[in-house]
Amino acid sequence: MSIFKGAGVAITTPFLANGEVDYDTFRDQIEYQIQNGTDAIIVCGTTGEASCLSHEEHLDCIKFCVEVVNKRIPVIAGTGSNCTETAIYLSTEAEKYGVDGLLVVTPYYNKATQKGLIEHYTMVANSVKLPIIMYNVPSRTGCNILPETAAKLCKNVPNIVGIKEASGDISQVAKVALLCGDDIDIYSGNDDQIIPILALGGKGVISVLSNVAPKQTHDICQAFFDGDTAKAAKLQIEAIPLVGALFCEVNPIPVKKAIELQGRDTGVVRRPLTEMESQNAERLKKEMQAYNVL
């Protein structure tokens, strides 16, 4: 059984002006997502600026999210690290809080070999009983999970059950589907490829767009699941200009600005990220208006 099906939001982590986590705003963001049809919450992922959180903040955010959601929808915790021991520590702690699954990104900077990836994921998976979604995003990590590697892992490690595919390579995703079959759930890691990946048997998307358009992102998936592929394709295509604006600077700079434009301030981004360039902010505002989320 899949951890979730549909649109899961890669939720942002809100900060106060002094840089501390803003838990009041975080609660509001979680409730906003649930009220608007989000199918799952992915906490402390890339969009949540996990790489700039201390371990204590990271785990506190996971625990807080689990408590606020209170089993209404699945919560998946980002617990990946470039250090295997750190990933094990974060994963085992998150398991204690009652999360429904883990999202584990490939080790960044180290650029592990495929053998290293197999050992890394196997060690993390063996440290917990929770289902694990591997996160493949070579543009950010410098490391690609090859389809053959994904197949070895999902067939030999029982609780590795999914992959978030953000390679952007549809041919690679198709090969993952071919080699892994029903042993893996594929989730789009790119908001502009939801329907192509669903068409290859994918289960949904782990979405940045959902932060500002949760109902619309859910509806893209639901239309496909309902068999209305024409509607699903139309909804996907309509979202493309806004998705482009949400990634015109490195994530999560634009999406935090988008939330601010909606009047739901999520605070500053942590360095080395910086405030969005004014011309890009204008582009973002224009596309949000066109998409009727502003």
Side-chain angles (χ1 to χ4, degrees), residues 34-107:
I34 294 173
Q35 290 163 13
N36 284 278
T38 286
D39 297 293
I41 292 179
I42 294 79
V43 60
C44 292
T46 304
T47 310
E49 297 177 77
S51 60
C52 288
L53 297 174
S54 69
H55 291 341
E56 292 78 13
E57 289 174 324
H58 192 143
L59 293 171
D60 284 347
C61 285
I62 293 170
K63 185 176 182 181
F64 181 83
C65 186
V66 169
E67 291 172 351
V68 173
V69 172
N70 194 25
K71 298 296 182 182
R72 287 177 286 175
I73 57 175
V75 174
I76 299 160
T79 55
S81 172
N82 66 322
C83 170
T84 303
E85 290 303 320
T86 300
I88 288 171
Y89 167 67
L90 293 173
S91 298
T92 54
E93 290 299 306
E95 184 173 41
K96 298 173 186 176
Y97 303 150
V99 298
D100 298 282
L102 304 174
L103 179 69
V104 180
V105 71
T106 54

Side-chain angles (χ1 to χ4, degrees), residues 87-159:
I88 288 171
Y89 167 67
L90 293 173
S91 298
T92 54
E93 290 299 306
E95 184 173 41
K96 298 173 186 176
Y97 303 150
V99 298
D100 298 282
L102 304 174
L103 179 69
V104 180
V105 71
T106 54
Y108 39 87
Y109 188 77
N110 305 64
K111 298 180 73 173
T113 63
Q114 298 302 301
K115 177 183 176 183
L117 289 176
I118 290 170
E119 291 189 6
H120 174 81
Y121 277 109
T122 301
M123 291 176 70
V124 174
N126 286 343
S127 73
V128 295
K129 295 180 180 179
L130 290 169
I132 289 174
I133 300 173
M134 300 179 290
Y135 181 13
N136 191 35
V137 57
S139 64
R140 294 192 78 125
T141 65
C143 188
N144 185 28
I145 304 174
L146 295 178
E148 295 80 3
T149 300
K152 276 187 180 179
L153 284 163
C154 72
K155 291 180 183 296
N156 293 317
V157 186
N159 58 328

Side-chain angles (χ1 to χ4, degrees), residues 167-184:
S167 67
D169 185 345
I170 291 296
S171 295
Q172 174 165 309
V173 179
K175 193 168 183 182
V176 170
L178 171 68
L179 296 180
C180 298
D182 292 336
D183 290 320
I184 204 165

